[in-house]
Amino acid sequence: MLLNTAKNPIKKSIASRLFTHVLASALVGLAGMSCFFYQALENRAKEEIQSNLSTQVKSIEGEFAKAEQLNLSLVATVKTMHRLSIKDANAYKQIVFELFQQRSSLMLALGFGQEPFQLLLDRQSFWPYFFLDQDTPDQVGQPLAPPHNHIRFADVCEVDSKCREQEFYKLPVVIKKAIWLEPYQWSGITMTTTGAPIYDDNNKLIGVTGLDINVTALSAQVQTPKSWKSGYLAIISEKGNLLTYPPDPQKAKALSTYKDIPELKAVWQKISNGKAGLIQAEGHYWAYERVKGTNWLTIASVPQWVVLGPALTITVGGALGAAIILALVVAFFIRRLNQRLQHIMAECDRLAEIDLQRTRRLNQASEVIASNTFQQSEARNTDELEVLEQAFNKMAAQLEASFEELELRVQERTAYLLTRA
């Protein structure tokens, strides 16, 4: 009870009502704003997840673009050498080696294979191929002399007599353009190949290039933000094979499929047909985006609690802080209002007491006391404004009665004087 006088203990104070109504209205507004703010924080977190994923995808696409450019440079160089009628095997080997030295960090090997008797007229097959030594016992080819002893050279068709029947040769010829092959395992790593057909000026096929990328090394470049806690970034091939999977790298090394990961299997139908987007399922946010050229699917999996926990903490904390500050401000205002009303209510009590004493002197004590007692009982269930209204109405009635009494006395005095006259 914010206002309570000794003479008139009022239970329903206008100050308490004002405090309740203002604070309740403000809390409703704060609740609405909190919901809006919470949604804004959640949407911003989703955008950050997609933005981070998109940055990773652009980085991968940048590496692949370098590989494609180097591969096309080999296509153009071989075509030019053929146009110049160069038929020296060492010249072709040298140009492949020079381009291989311009490789990016993910590039593993570079070479090209000729169509029978097209570049070297005395040889049916020729496939110069330079690759990084993987330091495994079963590696083919011969290491180069220092300082290039970390590089090996092999003629692919000498190692594999059916080289022209392999996918890395046949598919670019069938499709008639540069392509990326489905990743496969080689010497303990996962790799993929981009191949492009080589045509002469008469649009006749004279060979096919091949550039290999170390897919396993992608795991070192695809970094999961620490703020994602148990979340991760994964890369899945067009056929659904795991290329990188941070929670269990061995599954990626073994080229397991998404079907081997229950949570991925549960959302696969929702994300496998799209180019980019974000969904909520299995207690996670799933952002996904395709890698141009390869059509691989990059996936960001972030637990919902990682996003919603901080957002909820910020929202609730901010709302509570604002509510407390508002309550203190309203309470301070109410206190000032209460202090001013105390003087007015005290004056009302004083006037009521004077009126009671006056009526007693007029021998109307018993009736007025009963009436006053009833009014005090009624006042206990009213607020200050109603008490002031009652006091004002009573004063107005008393003034009206006084004027009527004065008018009556004037009339009586006037009549008396007339009779004397």
Side-chain angles (χ1 to χ4, degrees):
M1 185 167 56
L2 296 177
L3 181 62
N4 185 7
T5 64
K7 298 289 184 179
N8 189 21
I10 298 171
K11 293 185 176 180
K12 295 185 178 181
S13 169
I14 185 61
S16 62
R17 289 184 179 182
L18 182 62
F19 180 84
T20 302
H21 293 166
V22 170
L23 195 58
S25 301
L27 288 177
V28 171
L30 280 174
M33 290 182 63
S34 296
C35 290
F36 175 80
F37 187 59
Y38 177 82
Q39 290 294 328
L41 287 176
E42 184 183 13
N43 292 336
R44 182 176 178 181
K46 291 179 181 179
E47 291 173 0
E48 288 179 353
I49 293 173
Q50 289 181 292
S51 176
N52 190 292
L53 178 64
S54 183
T55 299
Q56 300 281 358
V57 170
K58 294 296 185 293
S59 176
I60 296 172
E61 290 176 346
E63 290 289 342
F64 286 0
K66 294 177 184 177
E68 290 172 349
Q69 185 60 45
L70 189 62
N71 197 40
L72 292 177
S73 295
L74 180 57
V75 171
T77 302
V78 171
K79 183 175 181 179
T80 299
M81 294 176 70
H82 175 69
R83 185 185 298 122
L84 296 174
S85 300
I86 297 176
K87 308 186 185 315
D88 183 4
N90 288 328
Y92 285 105
K93 287 173 59 178
Q94 184 62 31
I95 193 62
V96 174
F97 177 68
E98 290 178 0
L99 288 174
F100 180 70
Q101 289 184 294
Q102 301 175 26
R103 66 188 182 277
S104 65
S105 59
L106 294 179
M107 184 174 160
L108 188 65
L110 180 66
F112 76 92
Q114 72 161 8
E115 277 286 280
F117 310 110
Q118 291 301 311
L119 298 175
L120 304 182
L121 302 181
D122 58 340
R123 297 176 64 170
Q124 181 178 9
S125 61
F126 176 61
W127 196 310
Y129 181 75
F130 290 90
F131 60 97
L132 294 178
D133 193 336
Q134 299 302 304
D135 195 24
T136 56
D138 58 345
Q139 286 204 99
V140 300
Q142 297 295 324
L144 302 185
H148 304 298
N149 52 319
H150 62 291
I151 300 174
R152 285 178 171 260
F153 171 79
D155 188 317
V156 175
C157 289
E158 290 181 1
V159 176
D160 182 3
S161 60
K162 297 182 179 180
C163 60
R164 293 179 59 248
E165 298 178 13
Q166 302 296 334
E167 282 191 346
F168 51 74
Y169 193 96
K170 291 170 57 177
L171 287 180
V173 174
V174 172
I175 299 177
K176 296 183 179 181
K177 66 178 183 178
I179 63 167
W180 285 93
L181 301 182
E182 178 71 14
Y184 54 95
Q185 292 181 327
W186 177 77
S187 293
I189 64 172
T190 301
M191 59 185 288
T192 185
T193 298
T194 177
I198 308 172
Y199 297 98
D200 64 10
D201 294 335
N202 297 318
N203 205 31
K204 180 181 179 181
L205 181 70
I206 58 177
V208 173
T209 65
L211 185 151
D212 299 330
I213 290 289
N214 188 346
V215 176
T216 301
L218 274 177
S219 298
Q221 292 198 6
V222 177
Q223 298 294 324
T224 302
K226 294 181 179 179
S227 60
W228 290 5
K229 307 298 181 183
S230 58
Y232 59 85
L233 283 166
I235 302 177
I236 302 178
S237 72
E238 188 173 11
K239 292 185 178 181
N241 295 320
L242 297 175
L243 304 182
T244 66
Y245 183 64
D248 190 352
Q250 290 302 317
K251 289 188 179 294
K253 188 174 182 180
L255 284 179
S256 301
T257 71
Y258 70 89
K259 296 179 181 179
D260 298 318
I261 312 298
E263 60 181 15
L264 284 176
K265 183 179 179 180
V267 301
W268 184 254
Q269 294 300 323
K270 297 179 181 179
I271 64 178
S272 59
N273 296 324
K275 291 185 178 180
L278 184 145
I279 64 170
Q280 295 176 233
E282 302 298 311
H284 288 68
Y285 291 106
W286 300 90
Y288 58 93
E289 186 172 342
R290 295 282 178 182
V291 178
K292 293 179 181 177
T294 65
N295 208 33
W296 296 350
L297 188 65
T298 56
I299 298 174
S301 175
V302 183
Q304 287 182 319
W305 65 265
V306 172
V307 173
L308 302 184
L312 191 60
T313 300
I314 293 173
T315 302
V316 173
L320 286 177
I324 291 172
I325 293 174
L326 179 62
L328 292 175
V329 171
V330 174
F332 176 76
F333 171 76
I334 295 300
R335 183 180 179 186
R336 294 293 302 274
L337 175 62
N338 198 29
Q339 289 174 347
R340 295 190 177 186
L341 287 176
Q342 287 283 1
H343 298 295
I344 299 175
M345 297 307 297
E347 184 64 20
C348 288
D349 288 339
R350 189 183 68 81
L351 293 175
E353 183 65 25
I354 294 173
D355 182 61
L356 180 60
Q357 294 175 1
R358 184 177 64 84
T359 54
R360 282 175 176 173
R361 288 196 300 269
L362 295 175
N363 299 321
Q364 298 175 354
S366 58
E367 294 157 0
V368 174
I369 289 173
S371 175
N372 187 64
T373 302
F374 174 78
Q375 289 177 2
Q376 286 183 351
S377 176
E378 287 293 315
R380 293 178 184 274
N381 295 316
T382 60
D383 60 30
E384 291 91 338
L385 291 182
E386 292 173 341
V387 171
L388 291 174
E389 181 183 4
Q390 292 173 7
F392 178 80
N393 290 336
K394 189 172 182 179
M395 291 175 62
Q398 289 177 347
L399 285 175
E400 184 177 358
S402 297
F403 283 132
E404 290 177 354
E405 182 180 355
L406 178 61
E407 184 177 358
L408 180 59
R409 289 183 179 182
V410 169
Q411 291 176 354
E412 291 176 350
R413 181 64 177 171
T414 302
Y416 172 74
L417 293 175
L418 289 175
T419 58
R420 292 291 299 269

